[in-house]
Amino acid sequence: MEFENKVFLVTGGSRGLGKAIVKKLAQNGATVVFTYRSNKDAAQQVISELSSENKDSTGTVVAIQSDVSESESAVKAIDKVVDLFGKIDGLVNNAGITQDSPFYKMSDDSWNSVINTNLNGVFYLTKAYLGRAIRNGGGKIVNMSSVSGIKGLKGQANYCASKGGLIALTKSLAVEYARFNVQVNAVAPGYIATEMVESLADKVKQKISKTIPQQRLGKPQEIANVTSFLLSQQCNYMTGQTITIDGGLTA
Ligand code: NDP
């Protein structure tokens, strides 16, 4: 029970990578609060799945509706965790969206909503969390970036800018908050089999798989394993790093 007595907040935990992370942490004894934007049924499903899997050893899991792209809502989410459980040991900034289009056709709305969710959302949550972390004697933050933040991808100017921004933000916060015992790292997944990728046309998915040296999409659990390690006490001397998990895509 690596995470017994630990409390984590995971944004966007109702499906995909966030769901796998919530499960991994809870299965290791953590108390986990996760946010979702709109899909309450999916959030409830995560809790039901966990409680039917292993009641005795699984930590408490709570879902709250919160839009990361709204500053007030993000602050309330942090306050809610502290009200419920007295502290937060770690924050996983996972929630994210794509709105792809060729750059010359990209609307202001499309640009702004991706930046607001993927980058500003992390700013709001992290700002609200850091004060709590310092009072708690330290903390850990994992930001969900992407290989799109490392290499350019056609049709993803807004998404690439948001995920590249996250890598830079991760380094900056790591340096600024090291003296408060806060470690800040990022994960950069390649193509992982979640709704975000499954919604692509079969032809596109086949083409993608061919470009990956391991010739397959990643599994959400493979991202959850590394995220869990970054939140653990085994990882206290690593900060400001971005761990790429992509089957060799960027190698
Ligand atoms: P999904 O689309 O499957 O899930 C997204 C989650 O984020 C959902 O729980 C959703 O809640 C939540 N969410 C979206 N917008 C908001 C918001 N404004 N406020 C709060 N919650 C929100 O995404 P993935 O699991 O695939 O991706 C998770 C993260 O990993 C993202 O940051 C993504 O950019 C990144 N990533 C994913 C890759 C992949 O291949 N899948 C590759 C690289 C990075 P709801 O259902 O209620 O809307």
Side-chain angles (χ1 to χ4, degrees):
M1 290 292 101
E2 181 161 25
F3 293 128
E4 212 172 353
N5 301 321
K6 296 287 181 192
V7 180
F8 297 117
L9 175 63
V10 179
T11 64
S14 56
R15 56 194 158 91
L17 304 187
K19 176 177 175 177
I21 292 165
V22 169
K23 283 188 157 187
K24 176 81 185 173
L25 299 177
Q27 282 158 355
N28 282 293
T31 295
V32 187
V33 178
F34 72 87
T35 67
Y36 61 95
R37 180 181 40 184
S38 52
N39 196 338
K40 193 176 180 182
D41 290 345
Q44 201 47 53
Q45 177 70 19
V46 176
I47 296 173
S48 310
E49 280 175 30
L50 267 166
S51 59
S52 64
E53 276 165 20
N54 195 346
K55 275 191 180 127
D56 297 336
S57 57
T58 302
T60 306
V61 178
V62 174
I64 54 176
Q65 193 284 329
S66 173
D67 188 336
V68 295
S69 66
E70 290 169 6
S71 169
E72 240 178 63
S73 182
V75 172
K76 274 188 195 158
I78 297 285
D79 289 347
K80 178 87 184 173
V81 182
V82 177
D83 286 349
L84 286 173
F85 300 108
K87 62 169 185 168
I88 311 184
D89 295 292
L91 168 67
V92 181
N93 285 309
N94 165 76
I97 57 168
T98 50
Q99 280 188 25
D100 298 355
S101 77
F103 185 65
Y104 78 98
K105 282 188 181 169
M106 193 170 278
S107 66
D108 292 4
D109 273 356
S110 176
W111 175 268
N112 288 332
S113 62
V114 170
I115 297 292
N116 277 339
T117 302
N118 297 6
L119 190 55
N120 295 350
V122 175
F123 168 72
Y124 301 139
L125 259 305
T126 303
K127 207 170 158 212
Y129 169 63
L130 278 167
R132 305 282 186 178
I134 291 166
R135 268 174 266 158
N136 200 24
K140 291 186 184 284
I141 299 171
V142 179
N143 293 326
M144 197 57 67
S145 180
S146 166
V147 295
S148 304
I150 296 169
K151 57 186 269 185
L153 284 171
K154 282 182 198 162
Q156 288 206 314
N158 48 3
Y159 188 72
C160 290
S162 71
K163 295 299 186 180
L166 269 189
I167 292 173
L169 178 65
T170 298
K171 290 183 200 177
S172 176
L173 291 173
V175 171
E176 197 167 330
Y177 286 89
R179 71 191 179 98
F180 296 106
N181 190 29
V182 179
Q183 290 87 51
V184 190
N185 291 292
V187 173
Y191 293 102
I192 313 299
T194 68
E195 280 175 39
M196 189 181 267
V197 169
E198 292 294 350
S199 62
L200 298 170
D202 281 346
K203 248 187 176 176
V204 178
K205 280 189 280 184
Q206 280 164 13
K207 214 172 153 190
I208 287 171
S209 289
K210 281 188 189 149
T211 65
I212 303 170
Q214 289 195 357
Q215 303 255 308
R216 67 166 175 89
L217 300 180
K219 298 174 191 158
Q221 297 87 325
E222 290 170 322
I223 307 304
N225 292 342
V226 176
T227 304
S228 164
F229 171 70
L230 292 173
L231 290 168
S232 76
Q233 297 305 307
Q234 297 172 57
C235 197
N236 288 345
Y237 199 54
M238 185 196 284
T239 196
Q241 303 305 305
T242 297
I243 312 297
T244 304
I245 311 165
D246 65 354
L249 184 68
T250 51

